[in-house]
């Protein structure tokens, strides 16, 4: 993940809020994190500066794992955090002043994402994995462009990095560049401000393999699309490989002009589908293996529980695993971790009270409570009573069943996962401020329990 310098403060401000929530001693927190900030981000490393050596040592020895988890939750990228002092970083910067001004080529690839640690499933990603492997072995010769599409959290970004890392390792003469559509837009805006669009185009002429993530976010940026169209043609016409990901098929990118969509469709378009329970369980074992964790201390029922309740979204699956590992680190338990040890971590007790519950029952009970039909509940109607009922139903699916955001969206007429997030946030806020609203939710929970 490439992060603009302007976002450093925003990221660290969010991190401090989350860290303060986990470090209960406020005066201690204020002392060791006083004047802390993100100094720089280089490749996959975030350099965090604090007030003095004592603070740096204290944080590194006691809270580095927590910081890594918090940064991952904010950025959804596996950065390695280093805590030091500003004076130490300034001194390091001075050493680099006399280095060659020509900067080495930066690929933006995350070395942790490879073909070896990508879990393949016949039901969801075998076809796209095979296509990605072919591309990596013979970039530019077949399937150009390769267009990978599917919902968020299924491994599209992992495959992009895997293609790039394989090429860099086996074909060192080729320059590989990974970036998101937003990164490309920022480069374009910078080039406009500096009046060097031609230099931007020249920059891409030197690249052999271009990996573009989340192309759908380019849809509303008219001038940027024009520049990208010419760069796209440059790659394809010169047999340079281009791989693109999106959350939907090229033909469904309505905001992109037809000539660009037709270029995308001219190569190979492959869907990466929702992962099933078996694949989710394999991913958990693979993640544990790659992190050198002794899985003999984690009962299989724990992993099965996580896989069952988070299949369908790899990011959510990783988040649940990180929560488990954080539990182990904080509590330092001895022996085997079982479900009984994790009641607080995953709200298992609450879910066991609703063990016969499913999304259909929630939708039916909520619709009946608000005197509407289930079809109205899952429709796109925006009348106030229907919206209130829909938000509460989504919230209950998340709170009681711990369903993945994507799955909840599917249950409610194919809503986007961000719609589900917004609904749950609104309900949480109303529960804290509106007594009548809270009473309605509690009544619905009692109805569902019985």
């Amino acid at each position: 993940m490439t992060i603009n310098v302007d976002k450093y403060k925003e990221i660290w401000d969010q991190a401090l809020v989350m860290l303060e929530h986990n470090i209960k001693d406020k005066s201690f927190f204020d002392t060791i994190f006083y004047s802390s900030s993100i100094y720089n981000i280089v490749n996959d490393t975030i350099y965090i500066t604090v007030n003095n050596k004592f603070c740096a040592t204290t944080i590194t020895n006691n809270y580095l794992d927590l910081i890594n988890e918090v940064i991952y939750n904010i950025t959804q990228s596996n950065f390695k955090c280093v805590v030091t002092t500003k004076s130490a970083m300034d001194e390091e910067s001075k050493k680099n002043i006399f280095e060659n001004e020509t900067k080495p080529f930066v690929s933006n690839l995350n070395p942790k994402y490879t073909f070896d640690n990508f879990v393949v499933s016949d039901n969801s990603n075998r076809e796209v994995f095979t296509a990605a492997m072919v591309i990596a072995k013979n970039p530019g010769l077949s399937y150009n462009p390769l267009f990978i599409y599917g919902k968020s959290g299924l491994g599209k970004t992992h495959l992009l990095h895997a293609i790039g890392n394989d090429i860099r390792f086996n074909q060192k003469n080729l320059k590989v560049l990974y970036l998101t559509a937003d990164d490309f837009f920022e480069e374009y805006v910078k080039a406009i401000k500096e009046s060097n669009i031609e230099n931007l185009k020249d920059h891409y002429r030197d690249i052999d393999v271009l990996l573009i993530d989340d192309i759908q976010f380019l849809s509303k940026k008219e001038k940027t699309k024009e520049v990208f169209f010419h760069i796209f043609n440059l790659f394809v016409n010169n047999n340079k490989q281009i791989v693109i990901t999106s959350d939907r098929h090229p033909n469904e990118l309505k905001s992109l002009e037809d000539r660009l969509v037709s270029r995308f469709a001219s190569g190979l378009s492959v869907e990466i589908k929702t992962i099933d329970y078996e694949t989710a369980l394999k991913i958990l074992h693979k993640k544990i293996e790659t992190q050198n964790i002794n899985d003999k201390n984690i009962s299989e029922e724990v992993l099965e529980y996580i896989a069952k309740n988070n299949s369908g979204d790899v990011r959510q699956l990783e988040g649940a695993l990180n929560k488990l590992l954080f539990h182990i680190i904080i509590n330092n338990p001895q022996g085997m971790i079982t479900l009984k040890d994790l009641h607080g971590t995953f709200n298992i007790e609450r879910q066991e009270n609703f063990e016969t519950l499913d999304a259909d029952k929630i939708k039916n009970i909520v619709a009946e409570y608000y005197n509407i039909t289930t079809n109205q509940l899952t429709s796109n109607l925006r009348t106030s009573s229907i919206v209130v009922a829909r938000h509460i139903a989504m919230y209950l699916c998340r709170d009681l069943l711990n369903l993945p955001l994507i799955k909840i969206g599917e249950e409610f007429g194919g809503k986007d996962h961000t719609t589900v997030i917004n609904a749950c946030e609104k309900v949480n806020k109303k529960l804290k401020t509106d007594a009548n609203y809270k009473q309605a939710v509690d009544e619905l929970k009692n109805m569902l329990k019985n």
Side-chain angles (χ1 to χ4, degrees):
M1 177 182 182
T2 303
I3 297 179
N4 188 289
V5 174
D6 295 337
K7 295 182 181 178
Y8 288 8
K9 184 178 185 303
E10 178 184 338
I11 292 172
W12 190 240
D13 285 346
Q14 293 180 55
L16 286 174
V17 172
M18 298 171 73
L19 289 168
E20 185 175 13
H21 179 73
N22 284 276
I23 301 174
K24 303 303 181 184
D25 189 333
K26 188 177 187 304
S27 61
F28 177 72
F29 173 85
D30 290 343
T31 299
I32 63 172
F33 285 98
Y34 176 75
S35 297
S36 63
S37 64
I38 292 178
Y39 183 94
N40 199 6
I41 299 179
V42 181
N43 296 327
D44 64 337
T45 303
I46 294 182
Y47 293 92
I48 299 163
T49 57
V50 293
N51 205 31
N52 53 51
K53 275 187 177 182
F54 170 80
C55 293
T57 302
T58 301
I59 294 170
T60 300
N61 291 341
N62 298 281
Y63 301 105
L64 193 57
D65 289 328
L66 175 60
I67 291 174
N68 284 330
E69 182 185 15
V70 165
I71 292 295
Y72 175 82
N73 288 335
I74 295 170
T75 66
Q76 293 297 301
S77 293
N78 289 310
F79 285 109
K80 178 180 71 176
C81 294
V82 174
V83 182
T84 183
T85 63
K86 187 174 186 301
S87 59
M89 289 302 298
D90 288 342
E91 189 64 29
E92 187 65 27
S93 298
K94 291 177 184 177
K95 293 179 182 178
N96 297 327
I97 290 177
F98 300 105
E99 289 184 359
N100 193 319
E101 292 184 1
T102 302
K103 294 182 179 180
F105 179 78
V106 179
S107 66
N108 297 328
L109 291 170
N110 188 331
K112 295 181 180 180
Y113 293 133
T114 66
F115 287 129
D116 289 338
N117 58 30
F118 185 86
V119 176
V120 182
S121 165
D122 290 336
N123 297 324
S124 63
N125 57 32
R126 171 76 64 182
E127 185 179 7
V128 67
F129 179 80
T130 302
M133 289 280 285
V134 171
I135 291 297
K137 302 308 176 189
N138 299 287
L141 298 182
S142 56
Y143 308 150
N144 197 20
L146 174 63
F147 193 99
I148 302 172
Y149 67 98
K151 293 179 179 178
S152 176
L154 298 182
K156 300 188 299 295
T157 298
H158 186 141
L159 279 177
L160 278 187
H161 286 281
I163 291 170
N165 285 320
D166 190 273
I167 293 172
R168 284 186 67 201
F169 183 79
N170 294 298
Q171 303 176 65
K172 294 180 172 60
N173 60 312
L174 298 182
K175 287 185 178 180
V176 183
L177 177 65
Y178 164 87
L179 71 166
T180 67
D182 282 341
D183 294 332
F184 184 83
F185 174 69
E186 288 178 7
E187 285 188 354
Y188 170 79
V189 171
K190 182 180 179 182
I192 288 293
K193 288 180 179 178
E194 297 174 356
S195 301
N196 61 359
I197 284 294
E198 291 307 314
N199 288 346
L200 177 65
K201 294 179 181 178
D202 289 339
H203 167 67
Y204 283 93
R205 286 190 177 92
D206 291 333
I207 295 167
D208 301 292
V209 180
L210 181 60
L211 311 169
I212 298 280
D213 213 354
D214 291 325
I215 197 66
Q216 70 272 9
F217 293 126
L218 205 64
S219 59
K220 296 180 180 179
K221 299 173 172 64
E222 296 300 328
K223 295 294 184 180
T224 317
K225 286 188 291 186
E226 182 70 26
V227 174
F228 182 77
F229 177 78
H230 290 293
I231 291 173
F232 180 93
N233 284 338
L234 171 71
F235 271 78
V236 175
N237 294 339
N238 288 280
N239 294 322
K240 293 185 174 186
Q241 184 67 52
I242 185 165
V243 186
I244 300 168
T245 72
S246 171
D247 63 353
R248 67 206 78 165
H249 189 278
N251 293 335
E252 296 176 4
L253 295 170
K254 303 299 183 184
S255 300
L256 289 180
E257 55 191 52
D258 291 341
R259 63 174 182 166
L260 198 50
V261 171
S262 67
R263 295 294 194 283
F264 293 162
S266 65
L268 176 66
S269 299
V270 193
E271 181 181 11
I272 186 167
K273 300 174 183 176
T274 303
I275 61 170
D276 52 23
Y277 163 76
E278 287 77 13
T279 305
L281 192 58
K282 289 179 183 177
I283 290 173
L284 288 174
H285 281 290
K286 177 65 74 174
K287 293 290 181 185
I288 289 174
E289 176 188 333
T290 55
Q291 295 186 46
N292 296 318
I293 297 166
N294 187 357
D295 61 355
K296 292 181 180 178
N297 291 337
I298 305 173
S299 70
E300 190 66 14
E301 67 172 348
V302 169
L303 298 181
E304 289 173 353
Y305 175 85
I306 294 175
K308 179 181 178 182
N309 288 278
N310 297 279
S311 62
D313 189 322
V314 178
R315 291 194 186 118
Q316 187 173 334
L317 191 69
E318 290 177 336
L321 178 61
N322 288 334
K323 186 183 289 187
L324 169 65
L325 299 180
F326 181 67
H327 170 93
I328 295 172
I329 292 168
I330 293 298
N331 295 285
N332 193 26
Q334 300 298 318
M336 179 72 70
I337 302 298
T338 67
L339 281 179
K340 291 181 180 179
D341 300 314
L342 302 174
H343 281 178
T345 305
F346 292 111
N347 297 320
I348 293 172
E349 286 180 322
R350 178 167 47 185
Q351 291 186 353
E352 287 174 348
N353 291 331
F354 299 91
E355 57 185 6
T356 62
L357 192 60
D358 59 22
D360 286 336
K361 185 174 181 181
I362 289 176
K363 289 187 287 187
N364 290 334
I365 292 294
V366 173
E368 182 180 347
Y369 185 87
Y370 283 96
N371 196 28
I372 60 176
T373 67
T374 53
N375 286 338
Q376 289 175 318
L377 188 69
T378 59
S379 70
N380 292 321
L381 294 173
R382 301 292 301 169
T383 55
S384 58
S385 60
I386 292 176
V387 169
V388 169
R390 184 181 300 133
H391 285 178
I392 290 176
M394 287 180 173
Y395 166 81
L396 292 172
C397 284
R398 184 68 171 167
D399 186 54
L400 303 181
L401 303 181
N402 198 26
L403 288 181
L405 297 171
I406 292 176
K407 176 63 176 174
I408 296 173
E410 291 173 352
E411 290 287 348
F412 287 83
K415 303 291 189 297
D416 187 81
H417 72 284
T418 55
T419 302
V420 180
I421 292 174
N422 291 333
C424 293
E425 288 178 348
K426 287 179 180 178
V427 173
N428 275 318
K429 185 178 294 185
K430 291 271 285 184
L431 286 173
K432 297 174 183 177
T433 59
D434 191 327
N436 292 330
Y437 191 90
K438 184 177 186 303
Q439 181 180 348
V441 173
D442 288 342
E443 288 176 358
L444 283 165
K445 285 185 177 181
N446 288 328
M447 293 168 66
L448 292 165
K449 185 185 297 186
N450 299 322

